[in-house]
PDB file of all heavy atoms in Angstrom:
ATOM      1  N   THR A 348     -25.406  29.740  43.135  1.00 98.00           N
ATOM      2  CA  THR A 348     -25.635  29.860  44.569  1.00 98.00           C
ATOM      3  C   THR A 348     -24.325  30.043  45.299  1.00 98.00           C
ATOM      4  O   THR A 348     -23.238  29.841  44.715  1.00 98.00           O
ATOM      5  CB  THR A 348     -26.338  28.630  45.139  1.00 98.00           C
ATOM      6  OG1 THR A 348     -25.479  27.496  44.960  1.00 98.00           O
ATOM      7  CG2 THR A 348     -27.686  28.385  44.388  1.00 98.00           C
ATOM      8  N   ALA A 349     -24.409  30.351  46.598  1.00 98.00           N
ATOM      9  CA  ALA A 349     -23.158  30.460  47.400  1.00 98.00           C
ATOM     10  C   ALA A 349     -22.498  29.098  47.405  1.00 98.00           C
ATOM     11  O   ALA A 349     -21.196  29.078  47.322  1.00 98.00           O
ATOM     12  CB  ALA A 349     -23.549  30.938  48.841  1.00 98.00           C
ATOM     13  N   ALA A 350     -23.227  28.014  47.463  1.00 98.00           N
ATOM     14  CA  ALA A 350     -22.611  26.727  47.450  1.00 98.00           C
ATOM     15  C   ALA A 350     -21.851  26.456  46.096  1.00 98.00           C
ATOM     16  O   ALA A 350     -20.790  25.820  46.068  1.00 98.00           O
ATOM     17  CB  ALA A 350     -23.630  25.596  47.685  1.00 98.00           C
ATOM     18  N   GLY A 351     -22.491  26.899  44.977  1.00 98.00           N
ATOM     19  CA  GLY A 351     -21.859  26.749  43.683  1.00 98.00           C
ATOM     20  C   GLY A 351     -20.580  27.529  43.565  1.00 98.00           C
ATOM     21  O   GLY A 351     -19.554  27.085  43.071  1.00 98.00           O
ATOM     22  N   ALA A 352     -20.596  28.783  44.092  1.00 98.00           N
ATOM     23  CA  ALA A 352     -19.418  29.621  44.069  1.00 98.00           C
ATOM     24  C   ALA A 352     -18.287  29.036  44.930  1.00 98.00           C
ATOM     25  O   ALA A 352     -17.152  29.011  44.530  1.00 98.00           O
ATOM     26  CB  ALA A 352     -19.742  31.049  44.508  1.00 98.00           C
ATOM     27  N   ALA A 353     -18.700  28.485  46.069  1.00 98.00           N
ATOM     28  CA  ALA A 353     -17.690  27.919  46.969  1.00 98.00           C
ATOM     29  C   ALA A 353     -17.064  26.635  46.336  1.00 98.00           C
ATOM     30  O   ALA A 353     -15.897  26.435  46.436  1.00 98.00           O
ATOM     31  CB  ALA A 353     -18.371  27.533  48.291  1.00 98.00           C
ATOM     32  N   LEU A 354     -17.924  25.843  45.639  1.00 98.00           N
ATOM     33  CA  LEU A 354     -17.411  24.705  44.974  1.00 98.00           C
ATOM     34  C   LEU A 354     -16.396  25.050  43.868  1.00 98.00           C
ATOM     35  O   LEU A 354     -15.336  24.451  43.744  1.00 98.00           O
ATOM     36  CB  LEU A 354     -18.508  23.818  44.387  1.00 98.00           C
ATOM     37  CG  LEU A 354     -18.113  22.554  43.639  1.00 98.00           C
ATOM     38  CD1 LEU A 354     -17.286  21.619  44.595  1.00 98.00           C
ATOM     39  CD2 LEU A 354     -19.327  21.869  43.107  1.00 98.00           C
ATOM     40  N   LEU A 355     -16.752  26.086  43.073  1.00 98.00           N
ATOM     41  CA  LEU A 355     -15.795  26.567  42.057  1.00 98.00           C
ATOM     42  C   LEU A 355     -14.488  26.984  42.673  1.00 98.00           C
ATOM     43  O   LEU A 355     -13.366  26.732  42.121  1.00 98.00           O
ATOM     44  CB  LEU A 355     -16.382  27.640  41.233  1.00 98.00           C
ATOM     45  CG  LEU A 355     -17.467  27.221  40.215  1.00 98.00           C
ATOM     46  CD1 LEU A 355     -18.029  28.473  39.501  1.00 98.00           C
ATOM     47  CD2 LEU A 355     -16.936  26.195  39.232  1.00 98.00           C
ATOM     48  N   ASP A 356     -14.532  27.685  43.799  1.00 97.00           N
ATOM     49  CA  ASP A 356     -13.359  28.124  44.486  1.00 97.00           C
ATOM     50  C   ASP A 356     -12.499  26.930  44.924  1.00 97.00           C
ATOM     51  O   ASP A 356     -11.283  26.937  44.777  1.00 97.00           O
ATOM     52  CB  ASP A 356     -13.660  28.990  45.709  1.00 97.00           C
ATOM     53  CG  ASP A 356     -14.112  30.405  45.359  1.00 97.00           C
ATOM     54  OD1 ASP A 356     -13.966  30.839  44.185  1.00 97.00           O
ATOM     55  OD2 ASP A 356     -14.651  31.100  46.235  1.00 97.00           O
ATOM     56  N   GLU A 357     -13.169  25.942  45.450  1.00 97.00           N
ATOM     57  CA  GLU A 357     -12.474  24.703  45.881  1.00 97.00           C
ATOM     58  C   GLU A 357     -11.811  23.976  44.696  1.00 97.00           C
ATOM     59  O   GLU A 357     -10.787  23.338  44.866  1.00 97.00           O
ATOM     60  CB  GLU A 357     -13.445  23.687  46.540  1.00 97.00           C
ATOM     61  CG  GLU A 357     -13.954  24.150  47.895  1.00 97.00           C
ATOM     62  CD  GLU A 357     -15.102  23.240  48.408  1.00 97.00           C
ATOM     63  OE1 GLU A 357     -15.190  22.099  47.906  1.00 97.00           O
ATOM     64  OE2 GLU A 357     -15.895  23.710  49.242  1.00 97.00           O
ATOM     65  N   MET A 358     -12.402  24.049  43.538  1.00 97.00           N
ATOM     66  CA  MET A 358     -11.951  23.329  42.365  1.00 97.00           C
ATOM     67  C   MET A 358     -10.877  24.130  41.570  1.00 97.00           C
ATOM     68  O   MET A 358     -10.236  23.537  40.736  1.00 97.00           O
ATOM     69  CB  MET A 358     -13.127  23.035  41.460  1.00 97.00           C
ATOM     70  CG  MET A 358     -14.168  22.076  42.062  1.00 97.00           C
ATOM     71  SD  MET A 358     -15.537  21.748  40.956  1.00 97.00           S
ATOM     72  CE  MET A 358     -14.865  20.368  40.027  1.00 97.00           C
ATOM     73  N   ALA A 359     -10.624  25.332  41.904  1.00 96.00           N
ATOM     74  CA  ALA A 359      -9.685  26.226  41.188  1.00 96.00           C
ATOM     75  C   ALA A 359      -8.275  25.602  41.114  1.00 96.00           C
ATOM     76  O   ALA A 359      -7.655  25.552  40.062  1.00 96.00           O
ATOM     77  CB  ALA A 359      -9.653  27.608  41.800  1.00 96.00           C
ATOM     78  N   SER A 360      -7.766  25.140  42.250  1.00 97.00           N
ATOM     79  CA  SER A 360      -6.400  24.523  42.231  1.00 97.00           C
ATOM     80  C   SER A 360      -6.368  23.265  41.372  1.00 97.00           C
ATOM     81  O   SER A 360      -5.434  23.013  40.706  1.00 97.00           O
ATOM     82  CB  SER A 360      -5.904  24.278  43.628  1.00 97.00           C
ATOM     83  OG  SER A 360      -6.702  23.379  44.293  1.00 97.00           O
ATOM     84  N   GLY A 361      -7.455  22.455  41.412  1.00 97.00           N
ATOM     85  CA  GLY A 361      -7.572  21.300  40.611  1.00 97.00           C
ATOM     86  C   GLY A 361      -7.560  21.634  39.099  1.00 97.00           C
ATOM     87  O   GLY A 361      -6.993  20.907  38.287  1.00 97.00           O
ATOM     88  N   ALA A 362      -8.234  22.712  38.774  1.00 96.00           N
ATOM     89  CA  ALA A 362      -8.274  23.113  37.383  1.00 96.00           C
ATOM     90  C   ALA A 362      -6.896  23.506  36.868  1.00 96.00           C
ATOM     91  O   ALA A 362      -6.477  23.192  35.786  1.00 96.00           O
ATOM     92  CB  ALA A 362      -9.240  24.326  37.198  1.00 96.00           C
ATOM     93  N   GLN A 363      -6.133  24.155  37.769  1.00 97.00           N
ATOM     94  CA  GLN A 363      -4.753  24.530  37.375  1.00 97.00           C
ATOM     95  C   GLN A 363      -3.886  23.303  37.257  1.00 97.00           C
ATOM     96  O   GLN A 363      -3.125  23.146  36.277  1.00 97.00           O
ATOM     97  CB  GLN A 363      -4.157  25.462  38.461  1.00 97.00           C
ATOM     98  CG  GLN A 363      -2.818  25.984  38.091  1.00 97.00           C
ATOM     99  CD  GLN A 363      -2.753  26.772  36.826  1.00 97.00           C
ATOM    100  OE1 GLN A 363      -3.678  27.530  36.491  1.00 97.00           O
ATOM    101  NE2 GLN A 363      -1.714  26.601  35.988  1.00 97.00           N
ATOM    102  N   ARG A 364      -4.036  22.310  38.148  1.00 97.00           N
ATOM    103  CA  ARG A 364      -3.287  21.035  38.023  1.00 97.00           C
ATOM    104  C   ARG A 364      -3.647  20.315  36.793  1.00 97.00           C
ATOM    105  O   ARG A 364      -2.829  19.692  36.086  1.00 97.00           O
ATOM    106  CB  ARG A 364      -3.498  20.188  39.292  1.00 97.00           C
ATOM    107  CG  ARG A 364      -2.822  20.731  40.546  1.00 97.00           C
ATOM    108  CD  ARG A 364      -2.903  19.763  41.708  1.00 97.00           C
ATOM    109  NE  ARG A 364      -4.205  19.200  41.991  1.00 97.00           N
ATOM    110  CZ  ARG A 364      -5.062  19.746  42.786  1.00 97.00           C
ATOM    111  NH1 ARG A 364      -4.793  20.856  43.420  1.00 97.00           N
ATOM    112  NH2 ARG A 364      -6.247  19.183  43.038  1.00 97.00           N
ATOM    113  N   LEU A 365      -4.945  20.308  36.471  1.00 97.00           N
ATOM    114  CA  LEU A 365      -5.455  19.674  35.226  1.00 97.00           C
ATOM    115  C   LEU A 365      -4.704  20.241  34.023  1.00 97.00           C
ATOM    116  O   LEU A 365      -4.180  19.517  33.193  1.00 97.00           O
ATOM    117  CB  LEU A 365      -6.939  19.796  35.076  1.00 97.00           C
ATOM    118  CG  LEU A 365      -7.621  19.543  33.746  1.00 97.00           C
ATOM    119  CD1 LEU A 365      -7.389  18.118  33.335  1.00 97.00           C
ATOM    120  CD2 LEU A 365      -9.065  19.907  33.828  1.00 97.00           C
ATOM    121  N   ARG A 366      -4.696  21.555  33.956  1.00 96.00           N
ATOM    122  CA  ARG A 366      -4.029  22.200  32.826  1.00 96.00           C
ATOM    123  C   ARG A 366      -2.542  21.850  32.761  1.00 96.00           C
ATOM    124  O   ARG A 366      -2.005  21.499  31.692  1.00 96.00           O
ATOM    125  CB  ARG A 366      -4.202  23.714  32.906  1.00 96.00           C
ATOM    126  CG  ARG A 366      -3.558  24.513  31.791  1.00 96.00           C
ATOM    127  CD  ARG A 366      -3.736  26.041  32.027  1.00 96.00           C
ATOM    128  NE  ARG A 366      -2.951  26.781  31.095  1.00 96.00           N
ATOM    129  CZ  ARG A 366      -3.347  27.099  29.848  1.00 96.00           C
ATOM    130  NH1 ARG A 366      -4.518  26.667  29.415  1.00 96.00           N
ATOM    131  NH2 ARG A 366      -2.545  27.787  29.045  1.00 96.00           N
ATOM    132  N   GLU A 367      -1.919  21.894  33.903  1.00 97.00           N
ATOM    133  CA  GLU A 367      -0.478  21.596  33.960  1.00 97.00           C
ATOM    134  C   GLU A 367      -0.216  20.144  33.516  1.00 97.00           C
ATOM    135  O   GLU A 367       0.711  19.861  32.803  1.00 97.00           O
ATOM    136  CB  GLU A 367       0.086  21.870  35.348  1.00 97.00           C
ATOM    137  CG  GLU A 367       0.220  23.318  35.679  1.00 97.00           C
ATOM    138  CD  GLU A 367       1.135  24.067  34.747  1.00 97.00           C
ATOM    139  OE1 GLU A 367       2.217  23.554  34.405  1.00 97.00           O
ATOM    140  OE2 GLU A 367       0.733  25.198  34.324  1.00 97.00           O
ATOM    141  N   ARG A 368      -0.994  19.205  34.029  1.00 97.00           N
ATOM    142  CA  ARG A 368      -0.752  17.802  33.691  1.00 97.00           C
ATOM    143  C   ARG A 368      -1.009  17.557  32.211  1.00 97.00           C
ATOM    144  O   ARG A 368      -0.290  16.796  31.539  1.00 97.00           O
ATOM    145  CB  ARG A 368      -1.653  16.862  34.552  1.00 97.00           C
ATOM    146  CG  ARG A 368      -1.133  16.606  35.913  1.00 97.00           C
ATOM    147  CD  ARG A 368      -2.007  15.657  36.703  1.00 97.00           C
ATOM    148  NE  ARG A 368      -2.084  14.318  36.100  1.00 97.00           N
ATOM    149  CZ  ARG A 368      -2.925  13.354  36.512  1.00 97.00           C
ATOM    150  NH1 ARG A 368      -3.795  13.619  37.520  1.00 97.00           N
ATOM    151  NH2 ARG A 368      -2.967  12.236  35.904  1.00 97.00           N
ATOM    152  N   LEU A 369      -2.051  18.132  31.704  1.00 97.00           N
ATOM    153  CA  LEU A 369      -2.401  17.903  30.268  1.00 97.00           C
ATOM    154  C   LEU A 369      -1.363  18.456  29.357  1.00 97.00           C
ATOM    155  O   LEU A 369      -1.055  17.837  28.326  1.00 97.00           O
ATOM    156  CB  LEU A 369      -3.812  18.528  29.980  1.00 97.00           C
ATOM    157  CG  LEU A 369      -4.435  18.160  28.692  1.00 97.00           C
ATOM    158  CD1 LEU A 369      -4.676  16.634  28.607  1.00 97.00           C
ATOM    159  CD2 LEU A 369      -5.795  18.843  28.562  1.00 97.00           C
ATOM    160  N   LEU A 370      -0.787  19.595  29.694  1.00 97.00           N
ATOM    161  CA  LEU A 370       0.181  20.224  28.814  1.00 97.00           C
ATOM    162  C   LEU A 370       1.634  19.932  29.251  1.00 97.00           C
ATOM    163  O   LEU A 370       2.592  20.390  28.578  1.00 97.00           O
ATOM    164  CB  LEU A 370      -0.058  21.771  28.865  1.00 97.00           C
ATOM    165  CG  LEU A 370      -1.399  22.262  28.342  1.00 97.00           C
ATOM    166  CD1 LEU A 370      -1.525  23.742  28.454  1.00 97.00           C
ATOM    167  CD2 LEU A 370      -1.579  21.812  26.879  1.00 97.00           C
TER     168      LEU A 370
END
Side-chain angles (χ1 to χ4, degrees):
T348 64
L354 180 59
L355 287 178
D356 285 346
E357 291 171 22
M358 297 178 87
S360 62
Q363 185 60 39
R364 289 189 308 272
L365 164 62
R366 180 182 171 83
E367 287 302 316
R368 280 183 62 189
L369 193 58
L370 298 176

